[in-house]
Amino acid sequence: MPGKRNLQQVVLVVEDEVDVRKFASKVLEIEGYTVLQAGNAEDGLDLLKQHNVNLVLVDLRLPVNSGLWLLGEIKRTKEISSIPVVVLTASAEASQREKALGMGATDYLVKPISAAGIRKAVARVLRLKK
Amino acid sequence: MPKMINGVQKSWDKLEPDQLKLYAKELAELHINEQRILLELEEKNEVLEHRIRDLETLLEIDKVLVRALNEIELARSICRTLVDIEGYQLAAVRFVLTKDEENAQPIGQNKHEVRYPNSDDIRWADAQYIHSPTTVTINTGKPYVVQNILIDPSASLWSDEAIRNGYGSVFSIPLVADHKTYGALAVYALEGDAFDNEKMKLLTQVAGDLSFGIINLRSRVERNRLEKKMVEYEELDKLKTNLLSTVSHELRTPLATIKGYGTLLLDYDRRLKRSEKLEYLTSMVSATDRLTELVDHLLDMSRLEAGLLKLQKRPSSISKLVREAIAEARLRAKTHNIIWDKNGRLPKVNIDGRRIRQVLDNILDNATKYSGERTTVIVKTRVNKSEIHISTSDQGIGIPAEDLKRVFNRMYRVEQRLTAGIRGAGLGLAICKGLVEAHGGRIWVESEQGKGSDFYFTLPVLTINQVNDNAWKT
């Protein structure tokens, strides 16, 4: 089992594109993380309040409220503000990247991304957190 | 009364007859002198009055220049001032006509209504004005004066009309901008020799003021036009940025599926179930379809915009196209109830069947995409003498009134709040519009937010001649 040691770590994937959400979740599950999934920012925030989440992987273009909105909510809410947020987006624009990092995102990943890309980014951020 | 003569004061009664004669002569001279001075004074007074009037005219024109909102109003006011204050019979402005210029009508003011009843305006388009003092001025670019219209041979081309109107003299001054004469101001007087140097100087100044005012107004109009253009360009620029980020997003999303599942399959082959692998592969194939469609749409759009899209038109059965499109839409949207409201036989149309099918597919897809499951979509076909009308009517989310005008713009999508989760690059309807218009048809939408949308398009019906023509060709 490659990722048994990760079992106690919980990753929340917020992504409205079903295939991308399934892919990222599957990679992280195989790596031994516990994965929570949400299709929009509001559901994501609810899950964050109900569970102890160690990392959030979030898309920027989401229905209703955006990923940046969720990022802002996380950083604004004391109880969850220290959870690292990794952005996964199809927007390669520098301005978006700067905005997200400026708002407190820990990393900014651009689609398309490989299984290894997701795996390494999540592991790196969680290692840094420790 | 004592009088000094040759330095000696004498009484009337003491004067010698000779002296008396001399005295009478002197008196007469004095009287003549007095008369002359009076006359001179009167003349000077008249000149002064003229000056004052001229000043009044210039002052009034200054006011007009400040107040006028457009050049027609400005020219009319100046003409009115010349007639009212300076007392000329007619003052008129005429612009050089260019094909695209609106000012086809000249502006004029005349003193008495007798000759031009119920009208302030003189129509220069009338044949009699083809030859006129303004024509001479506009052609030569120089002031033109005729002090006696009745006898001056240079006036012969246009003098008949002027004499009939009772004009004695005329002065016409060019209106100049950038060394180019773009019009003329003509002033007519009843009397001959009405234009001395002073008057010509005054009228030349008035023409200069008018010209200045017109150029000012035109540059104001030009500035407004440029400002509007700037706003348009800014909007276009925003749309272009939008287009780039939408295209980038729409390309990267299916690529993310392909790369994600592909590397998942490569890296974790042994950890995946067979059913999972099949699911991932199926999604990867769908993603490539989505990519292909997007690339096709982008190509269609740029071909349409460049006018390079070639239609392969031939007389085709629209009924068959509609029937097939509905059958396939039913397969794609299994829970929707798609009905064809057909009224009578549809004639053949000269179309590129593949392209019109693309339009039908697109508006049918939209109808089902933006409406709930188990709702009804009605496809209606009607025909009149010249056109076939095809429409789709759904019970979906509808389009907000402010978006109706722009749904056919490329990359335009209704606010995300309403279309959340529905895929699209915003190219479909723009392409439909391009394709329908390339067929000589029209496309439009009627919609109410929350109630549904009706999309309509028309195709011109083939005339019998066209049918025969095409039959002969093939």
Side-chain angles (χ1 to χ4, degrees), chain B residues 396-416:
Chain B
I397 58 173
I399 300 164
E402 66 267 25
D403 292 311
L404 273 178
K405 262 200 304 200
R406 289 179 290 196
V407 291
F408 293 105
N409 291 359
R410 79 179 170 175
M411 290 287 166
Y412 185 79
R413 290 198 76 206
V414 171
E415 197 192 334
Q416 223 198 340

Side-chain angles (χ1 to χ4, degrees), chain B residues 386-401:
Chain B
S386 56
E387 285 175 331
I388 288 181
H389 280 241
I390 300 165
S391 66
T392 59
S393 175
D394 67 52
Q395 300 166 330
I397 58 173
I399 300 164

Side-chain angles (χ1 to χ4, degrees), chain B residues 4 16 43 67 129-130 154 167 208 220 225 234 260 276 279 289 297 300 327 345 354 356 396 457:
Chain B
M4 294 283 287
E16 300 292 319
E43 265 171 26
R67 278 194 236 118
Y129 292 106
I130 292 172
S154 84
Y167 303 144
R220 204 185 301 169
R225 200 183 63 83
E234 272 165 21
E276 283 175 324
E279 187 198 333
D289 289 345
H297 277 180
D300 282 351
R345 248 179 64 92
R354 192 172 69 89
I356 292 306
F457 72 94

Side-chain angles (χ1 to χ4, degrees), chain B residues 174-212:
Chain B
L175 302 173
V176 183
D178 291 335
H179 309 292
K180 259 171 78 182
T181 304
Y182 67 91
L185 165 70
V187 182
Y188 292 80
L190 284 185
E191 62 276 19
D193 295 313
F195 304 98
D196 59 16
N197 278 339
E198 291 300 325
K199 282 294 164 211
M200 288 203 265
K201 238 166 83 185
L202 168 81
L203 290 169
T204 306
Q205 189 175 341
V206 169
D209 285 353
L210 171 62
S211 214
F212 167 80

Side-chain angles (χ1 to χ4, degrees), chain A residues 1-2 17-20 22-23 26-27 30-31 61-64 90 92-93 110-116 119, chain B residues 245-246 248-249 252-253 255-257 259-261 263-264 267-268 271-272 276 279-280 283 290 416 420-421 423:
Chain A
M1 283 283 183
E17 286 284 335
V18 181
D19 287 324
V20 180
K22 270 190 187 168
F23 143 71
K26 191 74 195 174
V27 171
I30 295 174
E31 287 300 322
R61 208 185 268 215
L62 293 168
V64 198
E93 285 159 57
V110 177
K111 296 175 194 173
I113 190 165
S114 66
R119 187 176 64 223
Chain B
S245 82
T246 310
S248 162
H249 184 269
R252 281 172 189 277
T253 303
L255 283 174
T257 299
K259 184 155 183 173
Y261 283 149
T263 53
L264 184 60
D267 291 3
Y268 301 99
R271 305 287 311 271
L272 298 170
E276 283 175 324
E279 187 198 333
Y280 300 157
S283 290
R290 193 173 153 192
Q416 223 198 340
R423 281 174 179 170

Side-chain angles (χ1 to χ4, degrees), chain B residues 219-444:
Chain B
S219 69
R220 204 185 301 169
V221 168
E222 179 66 10
R223 197 166 55 233
N224 285 346
R225 200 183 63 83
L226 286 176
E227 272 168 15
K228 238 165 91 185
K229 253 274 111 60
M230 275 284 284
V231 173
E232 268 170 38
Y233 279 137
E234 272 165 21
E235 266 172 30
L236 211 70
D237 198 53
K238 226 159 70 189
L239 209 68
K240 224 167 126 187
T241 313
N242 249 342
L243 181 134
L244 274 175
S245 82
T246 310
V247 167
S248 162
H249 184 269
E250 288 300 305
L251 285 170
R252 281 172 189 277
T253 303
L255 283 174
T257 299
I258 298 166
K259 184 155 183 173
Y261 283 149
T263 53
L264 184 60
L265 287 164
L266 282 173
D267 291 3
Y268 301 99
D269 180 55
R270 283 185 301 162
R271 305 287 311 271
L272 298 170
K273 284 183 240 140
R274 188 178 151 73
S275 63
E276 283 175 324
K277 290 181 191 173
L278 279 177
E279 187 198 333
Y280 300 157
L281 286 167
T282 310
S283 290
M284 288 167 76
V285 173
S286 301
T288 58
D289 289 345
R290 193 173 153 192
L291 271 178
T292 310
E293 190 189 274
L294 178 65
V295 170
D296 283 347
H297 277 180
L298 284 169
L299 278 174
D300 282 351
M301 198 68 240
S302 43
R303 281 194 197 117
L304 279 168
E305 279 179 353
L308 291 173
L309 190 95
K310 286 203 174 67
L311 294 177
Q312 289 170 337
K313 287 201 214 171
R314 52 171 58 92
S316 322
S317 159
I318 197 80
S319 291
K320 190 169 162 245
L321 277 178
V322 174
R323 194 182 319 116
E324 287 171 0
I326 290 176
E328 285 193 25
R330 281 175 181 149
L331 288 178
R332 283 195 303 271
K334 292 196 177 79
T335 64
H336 279 83
N337 182 26
I338 306 174
I339 299 168
W340 184 3
D341 171 2
K342 186 182 181 185
N343 190 4
R345 248 179 64 92
L346 296 172
K348 282 201 164 184
V349 278
N350 193 28
I351 53 171
D352 184 330
R354 192 172 69 89
R355 292 305 191 172
I356 292 306
R357 177 63 199 280
Q358 190 181 338
V359 175
L360 277 166
D361 286 348
N362 203 300
I363 63 171
L364 267 169
D365 261 355
N366 281 345
T368 54
K369 224 161 71 170
Y370 296 101
S371 64
E373 293 187 350
R374 278 174 290 282
T375 57
T376 300
V377 174
I378 301 168
V379 180
K380 201 189 259 185
T381 49
R382 291 287 184 274
V383 62
N384 65 26
K385 256 188 208 159
S386 56
E387 285 175 331
I388 288 181
H389 280 241
I390 300 165
S391 66
T392 59
S393 175
D394 67 52
Q395 300 166 330
I397 58 173
I399 300 164
E402 66 267 25
D403 292 311
L404 273 178
K405 262 200 304 200
R406 289 179 290 196
V407 291
F408 293 105
N409 291 359
R410 79 179 170 175
M411 290 287 166
Y412 185 79
R413 290 198 76 206
V414 171
E415 197 192 334
Q416 223 198 340
R417 183 169 54 80
L418 296 170
T419 57
I422 301 168
R423 281 174 179 170
L427 285 172
L429 286 176
I431 293 169
C432 287
K433 184 175 193 284
L435 290 176
V436 168
E437 285 174 357
H439 279 88
R442 297 168 291 133
I443 188 166
W444 70 97

